[in-house]
């Protein structure tokens, strides 16, 4: 009961901010949110987790360097938060103005082949915009998502995601594999994040330490001979983004689920190292 009360107050506070953001517009909301998060973010209980994760990934960086990554991360986190009330505009009004896709030829080939693929990525900057852009480009898509702990906020998020990001939303979990496979067999590609800890995954090396990692992409390779297409997003300016679509990975019949999953983790590492502040370090990835 106490948790539900806390969740309800969180819901009210976030609704208040969403109304304020709508009144002020996107650019001012970005500025407000990034500064709020920069102040209150380090006070969250995730501070210890973030610090541990950064030291694991960057053992040779100084405390000042790690603190700067953390500070920048909270600014980006704030910007993402302030952009949720404007997701509809991103999709319907400002897409071409604010968004650039690099690697369109890969997407064109997927559409031409009429064969579904597995898109993989991580929580880079405004990660929500990746599924949005794929669907907007004409890719038949289903997206795996993790429901929020806050039941009140989760209703809002599910509504936003289904309306403006990707209409086929599949909750993460082994119990939801059947609808995912059904959509895949009907020609719908799958988009999922591979950077969250999953209890039904396997332990695979990630930044020189084993971490539970999803095996869904590898299973689709082994079962359906499907292609895995890596994508990631970068914020290039205030509200401008680039989504980079890379060429599909190449695997052979001898490659095991463990090897495929390791290769994907290694890819993820390279993208995190490229712009570490634009990845969300607060996940308890190595628990």
């Amino acid at each position: 009961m106490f948790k539900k009360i806390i969740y309800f107050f969180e819901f009210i506070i976030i609704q208040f901010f969403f109304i304020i953001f709508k009144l002020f517009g996107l650019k001012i909301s970005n500025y407000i949110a990034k500064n709020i998060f920069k102040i209150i973010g380090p006070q969250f209980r995730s501070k210890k987790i973030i610090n541990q994760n950064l030291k694991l990934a960057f053992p040779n960086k100084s405390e000042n360097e790690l603190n700067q990554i953390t500070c920048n991360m909270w600014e980006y986190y704030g910007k993402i938060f302030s952009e949720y009330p404007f997701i509809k505009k991103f999709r319907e009004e400002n897409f071409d103005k604010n968004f650039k896709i690099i690697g369109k030829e890969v997407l064109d080939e997927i559409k031409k082949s009429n064969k579904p693929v597995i898109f993989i990525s991580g929580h880079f900057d405004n990660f929500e915009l990746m599924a949005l852009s794929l669907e907007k480009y004409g890719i038949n898509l289903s997206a795996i998502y993790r429901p929020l702990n806050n039941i009140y906020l989760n209703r809002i998020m599910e509504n936003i995601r289904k309306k403006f990001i990707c209409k086929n939303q599949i909750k993460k979990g082994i119990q939801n594999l059947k609808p995912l496979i059904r959509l895949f067999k009907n020609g719908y590609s799958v988009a999922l994040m591979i950077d969250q800890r999953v209890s039904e995954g396997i332990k695979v090396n990630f930044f020189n330490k084993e971490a539970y990692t999803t095996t869904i992409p590898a299973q689709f390779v082994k079962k359906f001979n499907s292609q895995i297409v890596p994508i990631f997003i970068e914020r290039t300016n205030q509200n401008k983004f680039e989504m980079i679509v890379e060429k599909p990975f190449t695997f052979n019949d001898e490659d095991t689920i463990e090897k495929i999953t390791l290769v994907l983790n290694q890819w993820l590492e390279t993208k995190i190292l490229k712009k570490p502040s634009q990845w969300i370090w607060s996940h308890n990835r190595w628990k």
Side-chain angles (χ1 to χ4, degrees), residues 184-201:
F184 187 81
K185 287 181 176 179
N186 287 329
Y188 283 82
S189 294
V190 177
L192 77 159
M193 305 295 183
I194 62 170
D195 58 350
Q196 284 189 318
R197 183 179 61 85
V198 287
S199 56
E200 65 270 20

Side-chain angles (χ1 to χ4, degrees), residues 95 99 101 128-138 243:
F95 184 79
F99 215 81
I101 299 176
E128 302 279 15
L129 299 179
M130 288 187 283
L132 183 156
S133 66
L134 290 173
E135 192 173 81
K136 178 85 172 176
Y137 197 76
M243 185 180 78

Side-chain angles (χ1 to χ4, degrees), residues 46-169:
S46 56
K47 177 180 179 180
K48 184 179 179 181
I49 295 172
I50 293 169
N51 193 46
Q52 288 175 343
N53 290 348
L54 283 169
K55 285 184 176 180
L56 179 63
F58 303 103
N60 298 321
K61 285 190 181 294
S62 67
E63 285 293 331
N64 286 339
E65 288 175 311
L66 298 181
N67 288 337
Q68 189 59 55
I69 292 174
T70 302
C71 181
N72 293 340
M73 183 207 74
W74 282 118
E75 287 191 12
Y76 283 119
Y77 221 147
K79 289 179 181 179
I80 297 168
F81 172 67
S82 70
E83 286 161 357
Y84 275 106
F86 302 96
I87 288 291
K88 182 179 180 181
K89 282 192 172 183
F90 271 109
R91 184 180 180 109
E92 298 180 358
E93 299 176 25
N94 299 333
F95 184 79
D96 293 331
K97 177 183 175 183
N98 292 354
F99 215 81
K100 179 180 180 182
I101 299 176
I102 298 174
K104 287 183 179 180
E105 66 278 3
V106 178
L107 299 181
D108 291 337
E109 186 60 34
I110 292 169
K111 291 166 67 175
K112 182 181 177 181
S113 70
N114 204 29
K115 292 181 179 179
V117 302
I118 307 297
F119 292 101
I120 63 150
S121 192
H123 288 82
F124 303 109
D125 204 276
N126 198 329
F127 52 90
E128 302 279 15
L129 299 179
M130 288 187 283
L132 183 156
S133 66
L134 290 173
E135 192 173 81
K136 178 85 172 176
Y137 197 76
I139 299 291
N140 292 327
L141 192 70
S142 61
I144 298 176
Y145 77 100
R146 177 189 178 279
L148 299 180
N149 294 330
N150 188 317
I151 57 174
Y152 305 107
L153 290 177
N154 189 57
R155 290 170 191 163
I156 296 176
M157 287 306 306
E158 286 186 344
N159 185 53
I160 290 174
R161 284 171 172 158
K162 287 178 181 178
K163 278 189 173 182
F164 307 118
I165 295 173
C166 176
K167 61 180 177 291
N168 297 303
Q169 295 282 327

Side-chain angles (χ1 to χ4, degrees), residues 185-286:
K185 287 181 176 179
N186 287 329
Y188 283 82
S189 294
V190 177
L192 77 159
M193 305 295 183
I194 62 170
D195 58 350
Q196 284 189 318
R197 183 179 61 85
V198 287
S199 56
E200 65 270 20
I202 59 174
K203 280 193 171 184
V204 178
N205 192 61
F206 185 52
F207 281 110
N208 298 314
K209 186 176 180 180
E210 287 190 333
Y212 278 108
T213 307
T214 180
T215 61
I216 288 176
Q219 289 182 56
F220 272 73
V221 170
K222 302 300 287 184
K223 188 175 180 64
F224 302 109
N225 195 30
S226 59
Q227 289 188 324
I228 297 180
V229 180
I231 60 175
F232 64 101
I233 189 171
E234 294 180 347
R235 188 184 297 264
T236 57
N237 208 329
Q238 182 74 10
N239 302 119
K240 296 186 184 298
F241 302 87
E242 284 184 355
M243 185 180 78
I244 297 88
V245 184
E246 297 187 353
K247 292 181 180 180
F249 285 101
T250 302
F251 298 106
N252 57 50
D253 292 341
E254 287 72 38
D255 289 329
T256 64
I257 284 179
E258 289 77 11
K259 181 179 178 180
I260 295 169
T261 306
L262 176 61
V263 168
L264 302 187
N265 267 4
Q266 290 170 338
W267 171 86
L268 183 65
E269 282 184 30
T270 65
K271 302 310 171 188
I272 294 170
L273 292 172
K274 184 179 179 182
K275 289 194 175 179
S277 294
Q278 291 195 25
W279 191 60
I280 298 174
W281 290 92
S282 55
H283 294 152
N284 199 351
R285 190 68 178 81
W286 290 274

